[in-house]
Amino acid sequence: MNRSWVKLGETHYPGESQIVLAEPVTGWNAGNQITIPTTEGSPFYTEDKDGRRIIASVADNSQTEQHEISNVRGSVLTLKKPLKFKHEAVGRFRGEVANLSRNVIVESADPDGVRGHTMYHHNSAGSLSHVEFRHLGKEGVLGRYPIHFHQCGDTMRGSSVVGCSIWDSKNRWLTIHGTDYLVVRDCVGFRSIGHGFFFEDGTEVNNVMDRNLAVQALMGKPLPEQNLPFDTNDAAGFWWANCQNSFTRNVAVECDKHGYRFQMVKTDTFDPELRVRQVDGKLKKVDVRTLPFIRFEGNEARSQRRFALNLGGFHGQSTTEDLDRDGNVIDRVAYLGGDVQGVGPDALHPFRIKDFLVWRSHWAFHSTAPNVVIDGFTAHDINYVVWRSNIAGHDYNHVDFQNIHVSTFFNNWGSGNNRSDLLRYVDPVDDFHPSSVITGVDWLTPYTARVSGVSVDDVRVKQVTVNGIPAELQDGPVTTWVAVLASPALSGVFEAKAVDENGNAETTGHRLAYTRPLQSKRISQPKPTAASQAAPPVSELTAPTEVQPPVERDQPVNTSGLKWPLWDGRQPVSEYAKLVKLPAKKTIELHGIPLELKLIPAGSFLMGSPSDEVGRSTDESPRHRVVISEPFYLSSGEITQALYEKVMGVNPSHFKAPDKPVEQVTWHDAIAFIKASGAPLRLPTEAQWEYACRAGITTAYSSGTTQQSALQAGWFGYGDELNRALSDDESHPSAQKEPNGFGLYDMHGNVYEWCADWYSPTYYKDSPTMDPQGPPTGDERVLRGGSWEAPAVNARSANRNGYSPNSRGYVLGFRVALSVDSSP
């Protein structure tokens, strides 16, 4: 899946059976179960026959729906049954659609009997990616949760939970207990008893909660012998007792008590001074009420009956006994001081809340902690915005409050005894360092490792290095990064460290031991994931087995209306050039250096690989008819370092030589070169590239069927038949091997070549016949042609790879195309 949940694209009404999403989805299929959370408010209370206020569960009268998909096309879902309720999507105020189904399922054998649970322990290993956890969690039993990281400390640093769905739980969704540096991203929690995404004992730090959806955390009871005696388990979508973690881009909807809840209480039997990991990696006792967030940004809450964000405020109860006029248990000490009793971070390191969105809820924000800076706060259709808070050292900036029914700032007071204390100001400084996690290591070859990960900080992360090598960064509330390391030792440690924009350097980076493999296992770029945005590779060097190969799509094509005649596949290109009155080759000067381009005739071919081709991958099927309706020009070789440096003024290549192809260029670098060239050049589409590579041939390589025959056309590395590096472990000057039938060099091997298209592994299933352009959106761009370090099967004409357009490595280059109607 590209997304586990997405926003609605437009408002939908009862009786409708089609839903428009705000973005296209992949990996969503007919038969999947989805949930559509309500966009309506939840009643604050009802009254019993005696006139007492009853605070029932929001699930008792909910407009959240669960449906089955009957069809998916891009951003449009067709439902098996029509909607029952209205679901709103206007401007920033939009509901969500979440997919609950996965092909890997962990569930209880008997949901009505004894339920199961999963658990990681100290020194466990592994991550969870796109797994469905349903009907799990033992109600009322401590430590028995659908997903539970139990007292792992930092021994699982680098593990992640990505794209999972956890639903119908009798005991929370995901519990992080005494565990640091876990990454939880793009997960869906739907219906739980008690808190949903839960931090258990207040010692947990440096965890990343990014873009998760929490729907219907429902009222529970305190668990026997729980670590924190003050927790009433009264249903927060996100609940924590130590703020030194990162919460970004999450959404909480229709939870019984809180959307987001920080709670820590000092009592006669419990001391909030806990042993917490410090910047040097050592444990030290500290009052965790004083620890600020690593980052709290871009979070949203909707349809909350009580607090959207409760930052150390009082909790109240969910019963009818001894309630005051607001429906809360009468406890004047808690009422005035809140859970944190007026204790919070100092004025130099306040709680910082950025771009918080609350709508259609009862209370938006409550805090009895001092020293809070809010920068960006939108509240819409709310009863109370800032409710009975300690305002000492509070600073509110860029607020937008609309349609407020009762009060914007209600009955504010501070915990201090004098006016000067209430009016003190915060003066934030940044002296904290970033926190980094390595989330994946891909061995591109036995001599090349790609290390990916994530770094978080409350300001922009400026640099990440892995063993001193700068990584490519993708900015955001969570900074993802990738670094490619050449020739690491046979065994050793990868160490990732970050520096923020104010110069604060990470003291204890993530150190990950490795042993270099004997063979390369993967080549494709991982998709962005939970911390690193990394996902399983899209193609393997060994051919996947297809039990039932898809039927070829080779339907007849009507070409009578085309402007250009199609090449018959036999005549020399020179004869076709005469027929269409175009030169068979062109030479243009870019900043004084000639670039030769060859004419590629308009034509038709079968794109993809047959089921018996050695090395084929599933993303190369079904084989299908494609028409390239117009001739075009393609550079006879890959762009050289000499030409790239002349145009761009720099040479980023690892294997430097003027006549070798430029490498270590991202997709964006290739586009920048084209713009700087001053010529109307472009990258070829994926279909144009494969058509030009084949040059009328249907075999795996333009030079034949076997990997051995491919040696005539290109430079390769390790392979099944070759059994050794045949490229001397480096790139080679252009045009040293035989050209193909169109006069193009190095279409097989040397360096991978960027294409214009977005990549999708399933695009061939319904791609158009005429001039396909690739999917409209995606996370990765297409790479074609193999490289000097990869086996020959990766250089087959049909081989496809999807790489992040930000990827940079010494196997990545490009060649350029020129349309006939834009020729200079």
Side-chain angles (χ1 to χ4, degrees):
M1 295 180 175
N2 62 335
R3 293 287 185 225
S4 290
W5 61 273
V6 295
K7 288 288 187 178
L8 282 170
E10 57 186 56
T11 300
H12 289 286
Y13 297 89
E16 294 186 18
S17 295
Q18 280 197 334
I19 294 178
V20 178
L21 308 178
E23 58 184 292
V25 290
T26 58
W28 295 38
N29 302 301
N32 285 175
Q33 293 292 314
I34 62 171
T35 183
I36 310 172
T38 182
T39 56
E40 294 302 308
S42 299
F44 182 57
Y45 65 88
T46 58
E47 292 185 354
D48 65 10
K49 62 182 181 179
D50 298 321
R52 294 186 305 172
R53 291 182 177 181
I54 303 297
I55 303 177
S57 174
V58 293
D60 294 345
N61 188 28
S62 174
Q63 294 188 13
T64 292
E65 304 188 49
Q66 191 170 344
H67 284 272
E68 181 179 332
I69 300 173
S70 64
N71 187 51
V72 183
R73 189 162 185 85
S75 59
V76 179
L77 304 183
T78 302
L79 307 181
K80 194 171 183 179
K81 294 181 180 180
L83 292 172
K84 295 181 180 179
F85 303 105
K86 175 184 175 182
H87 296 273
E88 186 173 319
V90 179
R92 292 187 65 190
F93 309 109
R94 296 176 178 271
E96 301 81 20
V97 180
N99 194 321
L100 301 176
S101 298
R102 308 290 187 272
N103 64 325
V104 177
I105 301 169
V106 180
E107 64 178 337
S108 298
D110 180 8
D112 295 325
V114 177
R115 289 195 168 201
H117 66 104
T118 62
M119 196 172 191
Y120 286 96
H121 292 270
H122 191 271
N123 280 321
S124 294
S127 293
L128 300 169
S129 177
H130 296 86
V131 183
E132 180 180 354
F133 294 82
R134 66 190 185 196
H135 317 314
L136 296 164
K138 297 185 179 183
E139 186 171 8
V141 181
L142 186 71
R144 300 297 182 260
Y145 319 118
I147 305 175
H148 183 193
F149 289 81
H150 176 72
Q151 296 286 14
C152 300
D154 65 350
T155 66
M156 293 193 70
R157 185 173 182 176
S159 291
S160 58
V161 182
V162 180
C164 294
S165 75
I166 313 122
W167 63 283
D168 183 31
S169 168
K170 288 294 182 66
N171 198 359
R172 301 169 180 154
W173 295 315
L174 184 149
T175 294
I176 303 173
H177 179 197
T179 298
D180 305 329
Y181 297 104
L182 181 68
V183 176
V184 182
R185 188 176 217 171
D186 201 34
C187 292
V188 175
F190 176 48
R191 289 198 184 133
S192 73
I193 301 301
H195 305 312
F197 295 101
F198 176 71
F199 295 73
E200 190 158 353
D201 72 6
T203 64
E204 303 86 7
V205 294
N206 301 323
N207 296 285
V208 177
M209 304 291 295
D210 182 44
R211 205 185 178 278
N212 301 291
L213 177 64
V215 182
Q216 288 192 356
L218 306 176
M219 291 184 293
K221 297 178 180 179
L223 301 181
E225 299 180 353
Q226 64 186 31
N227 287 276
L228 303 178
F230 49 81
D231 172 26
T232 57
N233 200 25
D234 53 359
F238 299 84
W239 191 99
W240 65 95
N242 184 328
C243 290
Q244 194 176 309
N245 295 283
S246 178
F247 301 86
T248 56
R249 304 186 297 179
N250 302 291
V251 177
V253 184
E254 199 182 31
C255 299
D256 262 340
K257 184 62 74 71
H258 313 279
Y260 304 85
R261 172 67 157 127
F262 164 55
Q263 188 174 17
M264 178 51 72
V265 182
K266 184 174 184 178
T267 69
D268 293 338
T269 59
F270 182 83
D271 190 341
E273 285 199 9
L274 305 175
R275 287 169 57 82
V276 174
R277 189 168 309 280
Q278 304 299 299
V279 295
D280 59 3
K282 297 180 180 179
L283 299 179
K284 178 183 176 181
K285 269 197 169 186
V286 61
D287 188 338
V288 297
R289 294 176 296 177
T290 66
L291 298 177
F293 292 112
I294 293 178
R295 197 177 192 113
F296 192 96
E297 180 176 355
N299 297 297
E300 176 182 346
R302 179 182 76 255
S303 304
Q304 289 299 135
R305 186 183 58 194
R306 288 205 165 187
F307 293 112
L309 172 58
N310 186 342
L311 196 61
F314 80 91
H315 59 267
Q317 289 286 330
S318 299
T319 68
T320 60
E321 299 177 1
D322 298 320
L323 301 183
D324 66 11
R325 62 184 179 84
D326 294 313
N328 300 298
V329 171
I330 297 175
D331 182 345
R332 291 301 172 188
V333 175
Y335 208 65
L336 296 175
D339 289 336
V340 296
Q341 295 112 344
V343 178
D346 60 44
L348 297 179
H349 309 94
F351 288 130
R352 299 183 68 180
I353 298 167
K354 302 177 184 178
D355 297 328
F356 188 53
L357 173 63
V358 188
W359 56 292
R360 205 150 292 156
S361 296
H362 188 73
W363 294 323
F365 178 64
H366 174 44
S367 172
T368 58
N371 301 324
V372 176
V373 173
I374 291 181
D375 190 359
F377 183 6
T378 298
H380 177 79
D381 197 0
I382 304 291
N383 287 339
Y384 301 87
V385 181
V386 180
W387 191 86
R388 289 181 173 172
S389 291
N390 170 4
I391 61 171
H394 280 216
D395 190 1
Y396 296 80
N397 305 285
H398 304 104
V399 296
D400 182 5
F401 303 155
Q402 300 179 28
N403 195 13
I404 309 306
H405 307 301
V406 181
S407 176
T408 300
F409 288 86
F410 179 73
N411 195 13
N412 294 287
W413 57 71
S415 59
N417 296 319
N418 55 63
R419 181 175 176 82
S420 62
D421 191 36
L422 296 182
L423 294 180
R424 74 170 182 266
Y425 294 95
V426 291
D427 187 16
V429 299
D430 177 30
D431 52 13
F432 289 145
H433 65 70
S435 175
S436 298
V437 176
I438 297 173
T439 58
V441 175
D442 263 341
W443 290 93
L444 306 182
T445 75
Y447 308 103
T448 312
R450 180 177 51 236
V451 184
S452 53
V454 60
S455 298
V456 290
D457 194 63
D458 202 35
V459 298
R460 187 177 68 87
V461 174
K462 181 179 180 181
Q463 183 184 57
V464 177
T465 58
V466 180
N467 292 3
I469 303 298
E472 285 289 321
L473 308 186
Q474 183 175 342
D475 286 337
V478 173
T479 300
T480 59
W481 47 263
V482 175
V484 177
L485 280 68
S487 301
L490 184 61
S491 62
V493 171
F494 292 129
E495 183 174 20
K497 289 186 175 183
V499 180
D500 69 22
E501 63 183 0
N502 294 323
N504 297 304
E506 189 169 9
T507 306
T508 54
H510 187 186
R511 292 171 57 85
L512 181 67
Y514 73 87
T515 299
R516 203 171 70 191
L518 297 178
Q519 286 194 50
S520 173
K521 294 289 181 68
R522 300 173 177 173
I523 185 56
S524 64
Q525 174 72 11
K527 290 183 170 126
T529 77
S532 65
Q533 290 205 347
V538 295
S539 65
E540 298 285 340
L541 298 187
T542 55
T545 301
E546 291 187 6
V547 178
Q548 294 180 329
V551 178
E552 289 187 356
R553 295 166 41 212
D554 191 13
Q555 67 276 18
V557 179
N558 182 4
T559 60
S560 58
L562 297 182
K563 175 182 176 182
W564 300 90
L566 300 187
W567 180 55
D568 64 8
R570 296 183 299 275
Q571 68 185 135
V573 175
S574 58
E575 293 299 320
Y576 179 87
K578 292 177 183 177
L579 175 66
V580 296
K581 299 180 180 179
L582 290 171
K585 69 176 181 179
K586 244 180 217 248
T587 300
I588 61 176
E589 282 200 355
L590 302 182
H591 296 229
I593 295 183
L595 173 67
E596 183 184 76
L597 301 106
K598 295 295 181 71
L599 178 67
I600 311 299
S604 171
F605 77 112
L606 282 174
M607 189 170 184
S609 58
S611 58
D612 60 352
E613 187 168 292
V614 175
R616 77 186 304 270
S617 295
T618 56
D619 63 348
E620 300 165 21
S621 62
R623 200 177 183 206
H624 58 290
R625 176 65 57 183
V626 165
V627 174
I628 305 299
S629 65
E630 295 185 3
F632 63 100
Y633 289 94
L634 192 63
S635 57
S636 59
E638 294 155 332
I639 297 300
T640 63
Q641 296 176 31
L643 181 55
Y644 188 92
E645 185 171 8
K646 189 69 173 178
V647 172
M648 301 297 290
V650 295
N651 181 7
S653 303
H654 178 75
F655 302 107
K656 284 190 165 56
D659 56 351
K660 286 186 176 184
V662 66
E663 18 88 6
Q664 296 207 129
V665 289
T666 67
W667 185 90
H668 298 293
D669 291 337
I671 298 301
F673 169 90
I674 288 170
K675 291 180 179 179
S677 71
L681 301 170
R682 58 178 174 81
L683 291 176
T685 67
E686 184 180 19
Q688 288 175 334
W689 191 97
E690 183 170 329
Y691 173 65
C693 180
R694 291 186 179 279
I697 302 299
T698 59
T699 53
Y701 310 93
S702 63
S703 50
T705 302
T706 67
Q707 295 179 26
Q708 198 66 38
S709 69
L711 292 174
Q712 304 171 40
W715 299 100
F716 312 112
Y718 285 81
D720 297 335
E721 294 178 17
L722 308 181
N723 199 32
R724 62 188 182 89
L726 297 169
S727 60
D728 299 322
D729 286 333
E730 64 180 32
S731 62
H732 284 256
S734 298
Q736 290 192 344
K737 296 281 188 171
E738 293 180 4
N740 70 2
F742 287 157
L744 304 174
Y745 294 92
D746 296 316
M747 295 296 284
H748 303 293
N750 220 4
V751 293
Y752 281 95
E753 297 174 21
W754 290 111
C755 292
D757 309 39
W758 289 109
Y759 170 82
S760 167
T762 59
Y763 181 63
Y764 284 8
K765 291 180 180 179
D766 53 9
S767 62
T769 299
M770 197 68 64
D771 299 314
Q773 304 294 307
T777 61
D779 294 320
E780 299 172 313
R781 295 287 183 177
V782 170
L783 271 175
R784 288 293 202 129
S787 77
W788 57 267
E789 61 82 32
V793 292
N794 278 36
R796 292 174 298 108
S797 301
N799 182 256
R800 311 175 66 218
N801 287 279
Y803 271 53
S804 165
N806 297 313
S807 295
R808 187 188 304 279
Y810 50 49
V811 295
L812 305 181
F814 66 105
R815 72 177 69 219
V816 293
L818 179 70
S819 300
V820 293
D821 57 357
S822 61
S823 301

